[in-house]
Amino acid sequence: MGRWEPDSRGRLLEAAFALFSEHGYDATTVAGIAERAGLTERTFYRHFADKREVLFWGAGLLQEGVVAAVEAAPADASAIDAVAAGLAAAAERLQEGKAFARQRQAIIVTSAELRERELIKLASLSVAIAGALSARGVDAASATLSGEVAVAVFKIAFERWITQTGDRGFAVLMTEALDELKAVAAGS
Amino acid sequence: MGRWEPDSRGRLLEAAFALFSEHGYDATTVAGIAERAGLTERTFYRHFADKREVLFWGAGLLQEGVVAAVEAAPADASAIDAVAAGLAAAAERLQEGKAFARQRQAIIVTSAELRERELIKLASLSVAIAGALSARGVDAASATLSGEVAVAVFKIAFERWITQTGDRGFAVLMTEALDELKAVAAGS
C-alpha cells in the first residue's frame, strides 16, 4: 500500500465493469473489485466514493466540458446554437469510449437504483447548461427549456450511438437528433 | 374495520400531507397517517402500497389522461400539436388541485428518494407519450423527441404555475412554455 500503482483507476474501472457484467451490480463488492484489480480496498477508496461511483465518475467531467463549450460559443450565437456547441463537445469527449459507454449502459439498465442515478445526473446536466446559457444573457425560461432540449437530444443520440450497427460518429448522430428536434418543434 | 368509510382516501391523503409537512417525510409512518385520519393501517393499505405512493398515486391517472388526449388528437395533427393536446389535458386535470400540487412539491423537494421517484415518473410519461405518437404513425425518432419535449414543457409550466404570484391558469402557462420551446428550437 502506498506504493505507486500504474493506472490504478483504469484497472479498478476494468475490474468493476467485468464483475458487474459477470455477477451483476448488486452482487459485486468493493473488496471483490479491488481483489480483481490486484489492488487494495484503500486504493479503491482513493479513487471512488463507492462502487456506484465507478459508473458515474466521468459525469462531472462531461458536464464541465459541455458547460465550457456553451460558454465558449460565439457571443452572437442563439441559445440553441450554444447548445449545439455543448453537445458537440460531449460527443467529442465520449467518441473514443464507445465500448466503455455501451458496457456501462448495459449495467445501468439492470438496476433501478442506477437508472435513477442516471436520471439525476442528466437532470443536473440540464440545469448546468441552463446556468451557462443564463450567464450568456439568455432569459431564464429559454435557458431552462434549452437545457431540457439539450438533454433530450443527448439521450436520443446516445441511445442511437451505442445501439447502431453502423459506425456513424456520435457527433453526426447528435447533429441529426438536434435537427429532428427542430423539425418536431416546427410541426413538420 | 370493514365498515364504510366516507372518502377514506381523501382523509388519508390529507393526514399524510399534514404529517409530511409538519414532521418531514422520513419521520412520518403509515401508522401515524392512519391514526391522524382516524382510520386503520389496514384501510391505508387498501388505498396505497406505502407512504411514498400517497404522493404518487395520481401520476398514473395523469399519464392515462395525457395519452388519451394524444390519441384523440385529429388524425392530421402534427406530433407537436398532438403533444399540445396532451399537455392541455394535463393542465385541465391538475388545474383544480393547485393547493395540493404546491404542497406536494414542497414535500418532494425535501427528499432525494422522492425527487428521484418524480424523475422516474416523468421519464415514464415521456415514454408513454412517445408510444401514443408512434401509434399515430409518427416515426420513432420524432415520437421519442416529442415525448421528451412534452415533459420539458410540462416541468417548466408546472414550476411556473405553482410558484407564480398571479393567477394565470395552468393551460395558459403550458401553451406559453410550448411556444417558448418552439422559439428556442427555431433559434430565435
Side-chain angles (χ1 to χ4, degrees):
Chain A
M1 287 202 303
R3 68 195 167 82
W4 181 72
E5 293 289 356
D7 192 24
S8 50
R9 181 192 293 274
R11 283 161 61 190
L12 289 163
L13 278 168
E14 198 171 312
F17 273 56
L19 291 172
F20 291 158
S21 300
E22 289 166 23
H23 306 296
Y25 174 75
D26 288 337
T28 298
T29 62
V30 167
I33 295 169
E35 190 189 343
R36 174 105 167 206
L39 296 167
T40 62
E41 286 190 61
R42 188 163 165 177
T43 300
F44 178 93
Y45 288 115
R46 274 208 300 273
H47 291 284
F48 305 104
D50 52 39
K51 69 172 178 174
R52 193 176 68 172
E53 285 313 300
V54 175
L55 292 159
F56 292 97
W57 75 275
L61 286 173
L62 179 68
Q63 182 169 312
E64 282 171 30
V66 172
V67 164
V70 170
E71 288 171 346
D76 61 350
S78 66
I80 199 75
D81 287 340
V83 160
L87 292 175
E92 190 183 337
R93 184 175 291 265
L94 294 174
Q95 180 65 45
E96 294 310 310
K98 185 167 179 176
F100 173 88
R102 192 176 263 163
Q103 197 181 357
R104 176 180 179 278
Q105 201 66 9
I107 297 160
I108 284 181
V109 297
T110 64
S111 156
E113 178 197 344
L114 296 176
R115 291 196 302 271
E116 291 181 340
R117 182 76 179 155
E118 182 83 334
L119 286 172
I120 292 279
K121 288 284 182 183
L122 289 169
S124 159
L125 179 61
S126 171
V127 169
I129 292 170
L133 289 168
S134 287
R136 291 174 57 86
V138 174
D139 70 272
S142 299
T144 303
L145 280 160
S146 299
E148 297 283 343
V149 160
V151 167
V153 167
F154 177 86
K155 280 164 68 178
I156 283 156
F158 182 82
E159 177 74 18
R160 287 182 187 162
W161 179 55
I162 62 168
T163 58
Q164 68 174 349
T165 48
D167 196 28
R168 294 197 297 157
F170 194 4
V172 171
L173 296 167
M174 201 84 96
T175 302
E176 194 174 277
L178 184 57
D179 286 344
E180 285 167 3
L181 181 281
K182 290 176 183 174
V184 161
S188 55
Chain B
M1 285 203 305
R3 68 196 167 83
W4 181 72
E5 293 289 357
D7 192 24
S8 50
R9 183 192 291 275
R11 284 161 59 190
L12 288 163
L13 278 169
E14 198 171 312
F17 273 56
L19 290 173
F20 291 158
S21 299
E22 289 166 23
H23 305 297
Y25 173 75
D26 288 336
T28 299
T29 63
V30 167
I33 295 169
E35 190 189 342
R36 174 105 167 207
L39 297 166
T40 63
E41 284 189 63
R42 189 163 164 174
T43 299
F44 177 94
Y45 287 115
R46 274 208 299 273
H47 292 283
F48 306 104
D50 52 39
K51 69 172 179 174
R52 194 177 67 172
E53 286 313 301
V54 175
L55 292 160
F56 292 97
W57 75 275
L61 287 172
L62 179 69
Q63 183 168 311
E64 283 173 28
V66 171
V67 165
V70 169
E71 288 171 346
D76 62 349
S78 66
I80 199 77
D81 287 342
V83 160
L87 292 175
E92 190 183 339
R93 184 176 290 267
L94 294 174
Q95 180 65 45
E96 294 310 311
K98 185 168 179 176
F100 173 89
R102 192 176 264 164
Q103 197 181 357
R104 175 180 178 278
Q105 201 66 9
I107 296 160
I108 285 180
V109 297
T110 64
S111 156
E113 179 198 343
L114 296 176
R115 291 195 304 270
E116 291 181 341
R117 181 78 179 154
E118 182 82 334
L119 286 172
I120 293 280
K121 289 283 181 184
L122 289 170
S124 159
L125 179 61
S126 171
V127 170
I129 292 170
L133 289 169
S134 287
R136 291 175 57 87
V138 174
D139 70 273
S142 299
T144 304
L145 279 161
S146 298
E148 296 283 343
V149 161
V151 167
V153 167
F154 177 86
K155 281 164 66 177
I156 284 157
F158 182 83
E159 177 74 18
R160 287 181 189 164
W161 179 55
I162 62 168
T163 57
Q164 68 174 350
T165 49
D167 195 27
R168 294 197 298 159
F170 194 4
V172 172
L173 295 167
M174 202 83 96
T175 303
E176 193 174 277
L178 184 57
D179 286 345
E180 285 167 2
L181 183 279
K182 290 175 183 174
V184 161
S188 55

